Amino acid sequence: MRKKISKLLMKSLNTEPEYKEKSNTEEITLKKQDISSDYEQNLATFKTIFSVPLNTDVKVREFIIRSLNRRAFIFFVSTMVDLEHIKESIMEKLLGNEEPSAKIEDIVSYPMAKTATNIGEITEFISGGVTVLFVEGDSQCYLYETTKTHGRSIEKSDNEVIVKGAKEAFNEKVVDNIALIRKKIKNENLIVESKIITKRSRNDVFLVYEKDLVNDELLQTIKDKLSSLDTDKILDLSILEQYLEERPRSLFPTLLYTERPDRAASFIEEGHIILLMSNSPSCLILPATFWTMFHSPEDHYLRTPYGNFIRILRFLALFVAVFTSPLYIAITNFHVGMIPPDLLMAIAGTRERVPFPSIVEVLMMEIAFELIREAGLRVPSPIGPTIGIVGALILGQAAVQANIISPIVIIVIALSGLSSFIIPDGSLNFAIRITRFLFIFSAGFIGIYGVMALLMAGLFYLTSLKSFGTPYFAPMTPHSFSSKDLIIRHVPMKERFRPGYLKPKDIVKQRKG
């Protein structure tokens, strides 16, 4: 009786639901085994695993190697391989061979080949586009890299547009992306390391770094984080980014997402680590700071005075985008004495017939501006810009004529919205746009005091953020050794050091003399 009561108590205390593995346990056990030397057994095993003939794109080709007098079969996924290569480099070589003593490795002189014995490992290779050859009597199979997947060619960057500099962008083929980086960094120390991060989909992540620069502790931290992921599928780097972030619910991003190989290569040369994935036309740069997201790749392509002018303009645009609307609300509602009398009379005259308080006006136009922005992005590209321009003109003019919105609010919102477009990083751009709404509410609550209180709280919060142990505002705070490439950059000859917060093995870029 006591045992029954204790069991009932344990069940009531255990609030977590029990999920049982519904996968085929026999197949899981089978994948841990090695292949057999029995031809029929191997054929039946892989037909069962890949559901042949139910799977129409999985092909099995049986034949006899007459020179060896042995049966064989090849197994591949037809939609992921180069059929011409299979025919010319594998099938014709095996069927046309006339030397009875030759080995398989000598008959098929394929440039990328290796052997395997584990059933689970072989299954992963077949799913990835590798052609597998089984020969009767052999306790191992032969793997041939025949992968051929279709995708976009190398095109211009759509999201990180620059006037001066390289125009190439990553595409969905990870082989092309690695080649673009190797084309820019011709160094034997450049390492491309692969790691499987998901259980069911078997998605690969490629870590790219320079072994003579990268900090070993940072590299191990990233590897441990990737190994700790417990999920069935991560199909894109955008999803992986959310798994890797220390604070995934934070407004401000802590990982840098870029689709430009030149930008990725420049970060690798400083000691960063980048992550690549198949089907992702971009890369993740680890670790990242606020300054890396604030900078644009064009800053270094332009001459120093021009690049610094753009940076100062961008820095001013950041403050305009965040504070223009809140300051208008704060001054018109709480601090009227700060406005010159002539300007105050002009503002009062435009708002004479408007029935709403200024915070309602600003919120209505901010939401309308965000709607127009998103509508312009989502509709087909030929009419997207037209919708944005026509929508803004018609909506603004109609609202002013209907005495719902005052003309000065249109100017404030337009200035604030245009300034937000200058922020180069997409994630940081979203953070600034959302933060603007928080400042609007704080200004409507207690004016400039509310704006300053939220600003101080926000700065405290941002300084607490870290990206794989790197402070968000490094190297400004905490101060660390670097080339001081923050708001103003030096001429290239003066940028002699790599970022000290990365603790690279070689911190000096250029040595004197």
Side-chain angles (χ1 to χ4, degrees), residues 177-195:
N177 297 343
I178 294 171
L180 286 171
I181 292 174
R182 285 203 176 272
K183 186 175 73 170
K184 298 181 185 305
I185 305 177
K186 300 179 178 69
N187 192 323
E188 69 280 2
N189 292 307
L190 182 66
I191 304 297
V192 180
E193 187 177 347
S194 66
K195 195 173 187 64

Side-chain angles (χ1 to χ4, degrees), residues 255-467:
L255 301 181
L256 181 58
Y257 184 93
T258 181
E259 59 183 22
R260 297 187 59 86
D262 57 334
R263 196 178 189 192
S266 68
F267 277 102
I268 293 172
E269 291 282 10
E270 288 186 344
H272 289 78
I273 299 167
I274 74 165
L275 303 183
L276 296 169
M277 278 186 73
S278 294
N279 306 315
S280 293
S282 56
C283 74
L284 281 180
I285 297 171
L286 315 175
T289 64
F290 172 81
W291 308 107
T292 59
M293 298 174 194
F294 183 73
H295 295 164
S296 167
E298 194 174 22
D299 295 348
H300 288 271
Y301 291 130
L302 295 171
R303 294 182 66 246
T304 305
Y306 311 154
N308 285 334
F309 171 74
I310 296 298
R311 278 199 183 174
I312 293 170
L313 191 65
R314 190 182 305 134
F315 196 71
L316 293 174
L318 174 67
F319 283 94
V320 170
V322 174
F323 294 111
T324 303
S325 298
L327 287 178
Y328 171 77
I329 294 170
I331 291 172
T332 53
N333 283 358
F334 297 93
H335 313 285
V336 180
M338 296 176 64
I339 308 175
D342 292 341
L343 180 59
L344 179 61
M345 294 299 293
I347 293 174
T350 58
R351 299 198 68 252
E352 185 178 0
R353 295 185 179 181
V354 176
F356 303 112
S358 58
I359 186 172
V360 175
E361 284 186 271
V362 169
L363 282 174
M364 287 172 60
M365 291 310 299
E366 286 282 3
I367 293 171
F369 191 90
E370 294 296 332
L371 289 173
I372 292 170
R373 185 202 298 241
E374 288 302 310
L377 290 174
R378 306 306 168 195
V379 298
S381 55
I383 61 173
T386 307
I387 285 182
I389 296 169
V390 174
L393 288 173
I394 294 174
L395 186 64
Q397 184 67 24
V400 170
Q401 288 183 349
N403 293 325
I404 297 175
I405 304 295
S406 59
I408 194 168
V409 169
I410 300 292
I411 298 171
V412 168
I413 300 302
L415 186 61
S416 176
L418 287 174
S419 298
S420 67
F421 283 112
I422 302 178
I423 309 300
D425 185 76
S427 297
L428 185 62
N429 186 285
F430 265 110
I432 296 301
R433 287 158 60 186
I434 296 172
T435 303
R436 182 166 65 233
F437 281 97
L438 298 180
F439 276 102
I440 287 171
F441 284 114
S442 66
F445 183 55
I446 49 175
I448 288 181
Y449 300 107
V451 172
M452 294 307 298
L454 183 59
L455 176 62
M456 296 301 295
L459 288 175
F460 278 117
Y461 173 73
L462 289 175
T463 52
S464 72
L465 291 178
K466 289 186 177 181
S467 176

